[in-house]
Amino acid sequence: MRISSWKGAMAVMLLLLLFPVSGVSANNAREARALFNSVWDMYTSPNGVSLGYSVNIIGIYKTAGTIWVKGKRQHYQEKRYWGWSDSKHFYKVDMKKKTVDVHNPDSPKRDKYLSKFTFTPDDYNYGWANEKDGYVISLDAKDNVKSSIRHAKLVLDRQTHYPIALKVKVAFFWTTVKIINFHPGITDDDIFIFPSSRFKGFQFTNHWPD
């Protein structure tokens, strides 16, 4: 299964360590992949998850905000861009230009930056270790795989086992996504409903079902 856009990014972000780290062993790769599968099930569960993030890919992409994800629904808030997806429609608000673009949630056209990054779990070799910054899960693309993400490392807090940073190698340099306020479980589903009344006077463009 191929995962794109926010799903790809978040699939990597939400790898959590659910059992004690005892050092590298012969079963390291198998344990790491089993861990990934368990956490991916949590991420796609009906309970949802929210977290804050900041990223600076020099010359390509720079942003910070908060995202809520529950199944196929999502909502995010950044300084300039806000987004809502109710699983059928995706609304992207540009607070600076005062515009609202409506897309198919699965369309790569909905975000020109994130659509460049894709993630397919079977394309990677997995490992985990106890390192200086915390517990680290490593992902390395297999030799025959063509992917914009070749290497990634997720840093986990030793006490809570929550993600605190995601390091991704893009081209020849590493970039870090800082993660804060990770919180499993979303009880208020109204957060995924686009509040159209708040954006009266904005210019709406309907691209659906692109």
Side-chain angles (χ1 to χ4, degrees), residues 39-154:
V39 177
W40 180 244
D41 289 342
M42 180 211 66
Y43 172 64
T44 57
S45 79
N47 296 324
V49 68
S50 63
L51 59 89
Y53 59 89
S54 61
V55 58
N56 185 2
I57 304 175
I58 300 173
I60 301 176
Y61 191 64
K62 180 179 180 180
T63 191
T66 303
I67 186 169
W68 295 258
V69 179
K70 197 171 186 179
K72 293 185 177 181
R73 294 174 294 174
Q74 68 176 234
H75 169 51
Y76 68 85
Q77 293 183 9
E78 300 176 356
K79 182 178 181 180
R80 177 172 176 177
Y81 298 107
W82 292 22
W84 283 264
S85 175
D86 58 10
S87 78
K88 295 181 180 180
H89 297 86
F90 174 76
Y91 302 86
K92 184 176 181 179
V93 179
D94 188 326
M95 302 297 288
K96 182 178 180 180
K97 293 184 177 180
K98 296 187 180 302
T99 60
V100 179
D101 288 281
V102 185
H103 291 275
N104 181 330
D106 297 323
S107 172
K109 297 179 181 179
R110 73 174 198 161
D111 194 301
K112 66 179 180 179
Y113 294 110
L114 291 173
S115 62
K116 297 178 185 294
F117 298 93
T118 59
F119 176 76
T120 305
D122 289 340
D123 286 350
Y124 293 83
N125 295 315
Y126 294 81
W128 55 269
N130 187 356
E131 299 185 2
K132 180 180 64 175
D133 295 333
Y135 298 152
V136 178
I137 297 177
S138 299
L139 297 88
D140 298 295
K142 297 176 181 178
D143 292 339
N144 61 340
V145 168
K146 294 181 180 180
S147 174
S148 53
I149 300 175
R150 299 297 301 172
H151 306 281
K153 294 182 179 182
L154 187 72

Side-chain angles (χ1 to χ4, degrees), residues 47 68 70 73 75 185-193:
N47 296 324
W68 295 258
K70 197 171 186 179
R73 294 174 294 174
H75 169 51
I186 297 175
T187 57
D188 184 8
D189 289 352
D190 288 345
I191 199 169
F192 303 112
I193 300 175

